[in-house]
């Protein structure tokens, strides 16, 4: 991702005048209920992205008609007011951009505005806090002790213990979060701060185990500045790329110090929603004992890359070697000197191939379709540098501001911001790409050359962030079979569509993951999974992301067709940022604040 | 503490000119080796406080003669240069104050300068980093993974495990830190970042247990802004006053994520120094198994309030109730409806009395001598507010800057900054103090009315930060016997010097702690303890802090008369700030950088 606007000269007074004037007109129109006047303040090809502030949804509306419809259904209730510059966020990119603040009938918001020819081109509105339910932080932080004399005082420890003992037994959580990875943990922290302490259930014995159990060479592919959790930043000595066991330890300590009610060794077996009582029945097995929870809201935070796709290949039953999905791959140590075939050519496939090669395995990658590759250094510098880097931090770019800046670009036009970045990367790394293609590796840069992050948003797959494996492919150290498919397995080999037979002691299926609503099918029912439909993807009408255009990621962090069912996930950046909006939606419902949803996700695809 | 200088108008250009000009003259004199010229740049009653930069010691020199002696012995070696304004610290308090930076032959320093009539009144110089040994943080942070192909690569986890397995067995730590409380942990983190990973030994099963085991109502009496550990700040939702079990959890997680080699359940039995080999022999019992460590340096971080003072009273052997030192007090729950006598009237005594009263115990406090009381709110607002508060943070006061600001005031004149603060507190809380005195409570404000923090520095005792117990005393809910001493115990009572007999089921000795060199006597020898002498205290010639004037806290964080033996401790603020200088002193020694000590602590008192 990038922020192409930071190079322009800044003229604060001009920003002030131009934007303030626009905001005054905008507020006057909204206050008067004059939707036409409000719409007339936008250019024709305008975008208004709203994160929960106006719509109780995550929605981008486009053009005059989109604005008119949205305002028509929300304006009376929202009663927006108090528009002004958000000084706490400092300056935006130039005279036609600004950080703004505003209020609604129930909350306070932060937004971002881009003007073109004096009219609004892009507008972002986000709900920042609910009035009367502000988080107890900074000057609202708890005192920690009640001064004075308090007969039969309970200590912090006694209160925490009592809460933990009673929750799920004497008292019911308002929310159950299934899945205690980074997503569930970040959301759990935000909910606790809002006074909506959930129970987070996770099948593993310890927080962080979802990372610990992955292949041993795994490190985060995103750099540290992109990965902070809410409330506690990684320290300044934290590695750029977190090793998996180190991030696992961080998640474990975070769970503890943020006082999360985290039920480890707990498997969610079954969930069903009672539409009449408006309550979930969630059956879990905790340390082997089955029990039932009755929350009002259920969040599946089982990972947008959570449910493995295992291909059904002829001969899998007769293959006598070891075979597993990449998510179950333990790392290379047991395969020293063995013959390994890795099916797939995305991140996991590359990581696993490289680690196997490093211990001296004979390893072949089977590339079935083209892959986008971007070198880590180039991506960090050209893709993330302006928002998430040491130099961004040094120039005053906070994580919050970076997240909001990124969120301010509507998905519809995000590719136009991305294409120049990847063109620059292609130029910079031309020799590298030439070497790689010479080996037979099928490269792409996304269908519209918009690169890695758009692929991630559209399909969650199809790329490798190169940290070294591509050179091994280019040199032939990792053997490559490309443009082929697997026909079948024999007792000791993989047979390819080009007629070759690859002897194999190990087959790794680095074949990706299914849509998150697959979890809903498993836990709730096929009917609910179908009712909710596919998760993730934008409807870009590119490979694995069929149209129509949705405007936002399907079903993520927002209301779904199944009342009281929510999906949470994504990378650490997304978990951090969007957990804020999901938490506010849940808090509002708990407090009985009306939350009429504008533009509820419609279902165009089942998975 | 306070910063009385922040109210003056700031004129940056004037600061620049005045200070820059002074610094230029100063540097010219130093470079020329012209000590007379350098000294002439100071007023007569000047103070130069040096933290390790010039002296490899923590020293304040006074007046022309003090400067001349110090420079005479250090200048040739230190070769100071590059004096200028330290822009990264922003503006100091006014046109005659500035943050400065400089270099020495081996390091980079940060300092603070106060001018008076164009000459230096106070100068602080601190060593910030050693050249070539900068900490791997921010733009020097580790990458976390080695990109490219690395045959037989070791993962982070494998490296950490190997280090932990080998340390103390195959390899010897350069430093052993005895005591894994906040002090040992903060120091351990700094040392690890400098590549001097110590073994920290602690007798308790888990980091934080030193807090967990204290009386259950205990919370920190210092507010959160004062208490941050190095590298990781408490999050914005952290309570103002940390409950003891919560701070314990934080310390435990900190130990883990900072990758400390923390040997829990390990008791240090005996240590001796071989002056010939320049190595310690440290016998520890780890999980019941005795083993020997051979570090070059030994740090006692056993707590400046670590070794309990238990009085020897007639009848203690015949008393049939329960009796214990305050450090062993478990909290009130077992004493509901019982008769309790608490001997002492400082912080612990008040906390324990109040908690006992809260469960309905009949409790009497025995006050033997006068006590300084300051209400927590007043102390926070008037004492700490300008440096350590939410509003200080909001106005850009970082923890580092606050620590340096506080360090910039020489101890010799610190009381003159403190007296006005406590005068203001007395005025503000006059009614409160009147109520308290009416109950018979003997109040003081320090011998020179300089209040709580000076008492802490001079004697580490003699005060109570009131969080509610004083009202209970004033109202008579906590019964008070003041101006008396304990004559003896009987089977079931405490007999006082005023002839009264107090029936008692429980006697708590809130009678304070001895000097840290008592630990050296236990662990090493009485000879070494005597050679090192008393720890803590300034030599202010006030009660429990006999003269002569020392200029700095005795033996803390700096070389002692026993080569390779160090004392570390204090509150969280001190542990955080001074661990930096102690870590740099140890690092320099490990690297073989010459560290001739100027002004080695002389011993005037044994304990």
């Amino acid at each position: 991702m990038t922020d192409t606007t930071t190079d322009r000269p800044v003229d604060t007074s001009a920003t002030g005048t131009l934007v303030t004037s626009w905001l005054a007109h905008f507020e006057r129109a909204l206050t008067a209920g004059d939707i036409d006047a409000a719409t007339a303040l936008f250019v024709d090809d305008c975008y208004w992205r709203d994160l929960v502030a106006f719509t109780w949804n995550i929605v981008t509306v486009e053009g005059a008609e989109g604005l008119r419809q949205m305002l028509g259904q929300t304006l009376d209730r929202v009663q927006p007011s108090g528009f002004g510059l958000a000084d706490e966020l400092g300056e935006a990119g130039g005279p036609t951009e600004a950080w703004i603040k505003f209020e609604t009938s129930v909350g306070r918001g932060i937004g971002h505005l881009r003007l073109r020819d004096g009219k609004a081109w892009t507008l972002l509105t986000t709900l920042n806090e609910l009035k009367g339910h502000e988080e107890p932080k900074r000057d609202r932080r708890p005192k920690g002790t009640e001064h004075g004399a308090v007969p039969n005082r309970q200590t912090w420890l006694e209160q925490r213990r009592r809460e933990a003992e009673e929750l799920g037994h004497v008292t019911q959580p308002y929310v159950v979060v299934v899945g205690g990875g980074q997503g569930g943990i970040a959301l759990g922290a935000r909910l606790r701060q809002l006074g909506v302490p959930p129970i987070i259930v996770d099948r593993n014995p310890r927080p962080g185990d979802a990372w610990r159990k992955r292949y041993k060479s795994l490190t985060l592919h995103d750099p540290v500045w992109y990965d902070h959790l809410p409330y506690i930043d990684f320290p300044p000595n934290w590695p750029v790329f977190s090793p998996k066991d180190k991030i696992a330890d961080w998640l474990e300590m975070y769970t503890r110090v943020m006082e999360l009610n985290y039920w480890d060794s707990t498997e969610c077996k079954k969930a069903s929603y009672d539409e009449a009582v408006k309550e979930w029945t969630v059956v879990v097995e905790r340390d082997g004992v089955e029990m039932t929870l009755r929350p009002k809201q259920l969040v599946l935070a089982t990972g947008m890359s959570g449910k493995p796709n295992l291909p059904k290949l002829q001969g899998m039953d007769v293959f006598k070697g070891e075979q597993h999905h990449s998510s179950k791959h333990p790392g290379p140590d047991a395969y020293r000197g063995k013959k390994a075939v890795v099916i797939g050519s995305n991140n996991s496939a590359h990581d696993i191939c490289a680690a196997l090669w490093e211990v001296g395995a004979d390893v072949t990658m089977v590339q079935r379709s083209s892959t986008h590759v971007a070198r880590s250094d180039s991506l960090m510098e050209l893709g993330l540098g302006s928002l998430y880097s040491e130099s961004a931090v040094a120039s005053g770019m906070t994580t919050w501001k970076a997240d909001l800046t990124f969120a301010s670009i509507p998905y519809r036009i995000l590719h136009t911001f991305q294409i120049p970045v990847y063109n620059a990367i292609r130029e910079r790394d031309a020799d590298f790409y030439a070497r790689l293609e010479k080996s037979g590796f099928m490269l792409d840069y996304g269908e519209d050359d918009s690169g890695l992050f758009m692929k991630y948003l559209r399909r969650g797959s199809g790329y490798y962030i190169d940290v070294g494996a591509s050179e091994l492919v280019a040199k032939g150290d990792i053997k490559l079979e490309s443009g082929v498919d697997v026909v079948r397995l024999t007792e000791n080999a993989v047979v390819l569509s080009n007629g070759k037979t690859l002897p194999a002691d190990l087959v790794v299926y680095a074949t990706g993951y299914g849509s998150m609503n697959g979890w809903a099918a498993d836990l709730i029912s096929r009917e609910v999974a179908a009712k909710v439909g596919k998760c993730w993807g934008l409807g870009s009408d590119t490979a694995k992301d069929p149209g129509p255009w949705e405007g936002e990621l399907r079903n993520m962090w927002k209301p779904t067709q199944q009342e009281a069912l929510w999906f949470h996930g994504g990378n650490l950046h997304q978990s951090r940022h969007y957990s804020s909006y999901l938490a506010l939606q849940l808090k509002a419902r708990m407090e009985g604040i009306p939350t009429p949803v504008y533009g509820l996700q419609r279902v165009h695809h089942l998975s």
Side-chain angles (χ1 to χ4, degrees), chain A:
Chain A
M1 81 198 55
T2 186
D3 174 14
T4 60
T5 61
T6 49
D7 292 330
R8 299 183 207 158
V10 171
D11 179 337
T12 320
S13 57
T15 309
T17 315
L18 208 59
V19 172
T20 312
S21 157
W22 188 91
L23 290 172
H25 284 99
F26 188 51
E27 179 161 352
R28 203 173 310 142
L30 296 181
T31 306
D34 187 344
I35 293 176
D36 285 338
T39 304
L41 291 166
F42 287 74
V43 298
D44 289 345
D45 57 332
C46 65
Y47 304 89
W48 183 342
R49 183 167 199 227
D50 182 60
L51 306 181
V52 184
F54 279 67
T55 60
W56 287 110
N57 198 357
I58 293 181
V59 161
T60 302
V61 295
E62 300 184 9
E65 196 43 38
L67 264 61
R68 233 177 246 123
Q69 280 184 18
M70 189 267 270
L71 285 173
Q73 286 186 44
T74 60
L75 191 53
D76 284 355
R77 177 185 49 75
V78 174
Q79 298 170 36
S81 66
F83 284 86
L85 294 174
D87 297 325
E88 63 270 39
L89 278 154
E91 288 167 8
T96 57
E97 288 190 30
W99 295 108
I100 63 170
K101 61 184 176 184
F102 61 95
E103 295 196 9
T104 71
S105 54
V106 299
R108 292 180 201 90
I110 288 286
H112 184 277
L113 175 68
R114 278 187 193 84
L115 297 177
R116 202 175 68 198
D117 305 328
K119 293 185 169 190
W121 172 37
T122 69
L123 175 63
L124 170 74
T125 49
T126 76
L127 183 64
N128 191 37
E129 60 186 4
L130 290 163
K131 292 175 186 172
H133 304 287
E134 295 81 4
E135 289 191 28
K137 64 185 178 186
R138 303 198 196 285
D139 52 358
R140 293 174 184 273
R141 70 174 78 221
K143 194 151 180 180
T145 179
E146 195 174 345
H147 287 176
V150 184
N152 295 308
R153 173 197 299 265
Q154 277 211 325
T155 66
W156 171 84
L157 183 65
E158 287 166 340
Q159 286 170 21
R160 268 298 287 144
R161 284 193 177 148
R162 186 171 166 180
E163 178 192 339
E165 278 164 22
E166 292 184 350
L167 193 64
H169 302 274
V170 180
T171 58
Q172 285 298 325
Y174 183 75
V175 184
V176 164
V177 178
V178 181
Q182 64 221 29
I185 288 172
L187 177 63
R190 297 226 191 245
L191 285 171
R192 181 168 193 93
Q193 290 308 306
L194 286 170
V196 194
I199 291 177
I200 303 167
V201 302
D202 195 275
R203 73 180 68 183
N204 291 307
R206 286 159 64 200
D209 277 350
W211 286 102
R212 287 192 192 90
K213 288 171 125 176
R214 298 296 305 282
Y215 54 92
K216 74 169 194 172
S217 63
L218 180 64
T219 63
L220 296 201
H221 290 83
D222 292 320
V224 59
W225 310 279
Y226 194 70
D227 301 332
H228 294 301
L229 295 176
Y231 307 111
I232 310 181
D233 279 0
F234 293 109
N237 63 311
W238 199 264
V240 176
F241 301 104
S242 296
K244 73 178 179 71
D245 296 285
K246 190 164 171 66
I247 193 85
D249 281 357
W250 185 263
L251 290 169
E252 187 174 359
M253 83 73 197
Y254 183 92
T255 301
R256 173 93 159 280
V257 299
M258 294 305 288
E259 304 179 18
L260 304 190
N261 296 304
Y262 189 100
W263 286 16
D264 56 37
S265 308
T266 302
E267 190 162 352
C268 186
K269 312 285 282 185
K270 192 92 202 106
S272 59
Y273 189 65
D274 185 328
E275 304 276 352
V277 187
K278 301 208 174 297
E279 189 172 272
W280 287 93
T281 299
V282 181
V283 180
V284 302
E285 191 179 305
R286 188 183 192 192
D287 290 322
V289 180
E290 199 166 283
M291 56 182 293
T292 301
L293 299 172
R294 301 194 182 280
K296 300 292 182 191
Q297 310 284 343
L298 182 65
V299 180
L300 299 188
T302 36
M304 65 75 71
S305 309
K307 209 169 145 54
N309 274 339
L310 200 63
K312 288 190 178 68
L313 297 173
Q314 192 192 330
M316 282 170 79
D317 52 336
V318 303
F319 180 67
K320 294 208 164 144
E322 205 177 325
Q323 53 183 330
H324 47 239
H325 187 265
S326 58
S327 60
K328 303 274 189 266
H329 181 68
D333 293 347
Y335 311 107
R336 223 169 269 272
K338 299 283 176 72
K339 289 182 176 15
V341 174
V342 177
I343 299 167
S345 55
N346 291 343
N347 259 330
S348 297
H350 277 86
D351 277 357
I352 290 168
C353 285
L356 286 167
W357 179 85
E358 286 181 345
V359 300
D362 175 284
V363 55
T364 304
M365 178 188 288
V366 177
Q367 184 184 30
R368 299 166 304 166
S369 57
S370 73
T371 306
H372 172 57
V373 175
R375 301 182 90 171
S376 175
D377 288 350
S378 303
L379 206 55
M380 294 248 298
E381 208 168 305
L382 301 173
L384 290 174
S386 64
L387 294 180
Y388 302 99
S389 66
E390 204 63 52
S391 61
V393 171
S395 73
M397 177 59 74
T398 64
T399 307
W400 188 43
K401 192 168 164 180
D403 288 351
L404 286 171
T405 302
F406 191 67
S408 75
I409 305 171
Y411 287 129
R412 180 71 106 175
I413 54 172
L414 184 55
H415 64 288
T416 66
F417 288 67
Q418 296 281 300
I419 289 166
V421 175
Y422 288 88
N423 285 342
I425 289 178
R426 280 168 85 160
E427 201 176 305
R428 170 179 160 141
D429 295 332
D431 290 352
F432 162 77
Y433 286 121
R435 272 200 309 284
L436 190 54
E437 281 196 303
K438 212 173 152 192
S439 73
F441 193 88
M442 297 186 296
L443 270 177
D444 71 62
Y445 300 89
E447 286 180 33
D448 52 0
D449 291 339
S450 61
L452 194 144
F453 198 70
M454 293 310 302
K455 273 201 162 185
Y456 173 70
L457 292 170
R458 289 166 174 173
R459 52 181 283 195
S461 67
Y463 54 82
Y464 168 53
I465 299 176
D466 178 39
V467 293
S470 290
E471 286 294 356
L472 292 176
V473 172
K475 286 192 287 181
D477 290 334
I478 295 172
K479 296 172 188 167
L480 179 70
E481 293 293 337
S482 69
V484 298
D485 218 330
V486 177
V487 176
R488 62 189 168 88
L489 276 68
T490 66
E491 278 194 9
N492 53 18
V494 177
V495 181
L496 301 180
S497 56
N498 61 2
K500 284 191 191 167
T501 295
L502 307 174
D505 304 305
L506 167 70
V507 177
V508 180
Y509 302 101
T511 42
Y513 298 86
S515 163
M516 279 182 77
N517 66 332
W519 292 109
D522 287 0
L523 285 179
I524 308 165
S525 68
R526 281 165 180 271
E527 291 70 32
V528 166
K531 183 163 126 186
V532 165
K534 181 178 169 69
C535 297
W536 208 260
L538 299 167
S540 62
D541 215 12
T542 58
K544 301 198 179 180
D545 184 30
W549 179 250
E550 308 275 7
E552 294 287 338
L553 286 173
R554 299 180 187 94
N555 282 320
M556 296 306 298
W557 315 295
K558 61 179 184 175
T560 68
Q561 290 288 346
Q562 172 59 56
E563 186 180 26
L565 178 65
W566 310 79
F567 294 90
H568 179 58
N571 60 30
L572 282 151
H573 151 77
Q574 292 167 312
S575 287
R576 169 184 66 239
H577 190 203
Y578 289 95
S579 58
S580 169
Y581 308 110
L582 177 48
L584 287 169
Q585 292 173 78
L586 294 166
K587 172 68 174 177
R589 281 162 176 82
M590 189 181 92
E591 297 297 336
I593 297 168
T595 56
V597 175
Y598 174 78
L600 184 67
Q601 174 80 52
R602 278 182 290 174
V603 175
H604 303 105
H605 305 282
L606 294 187
S607 68

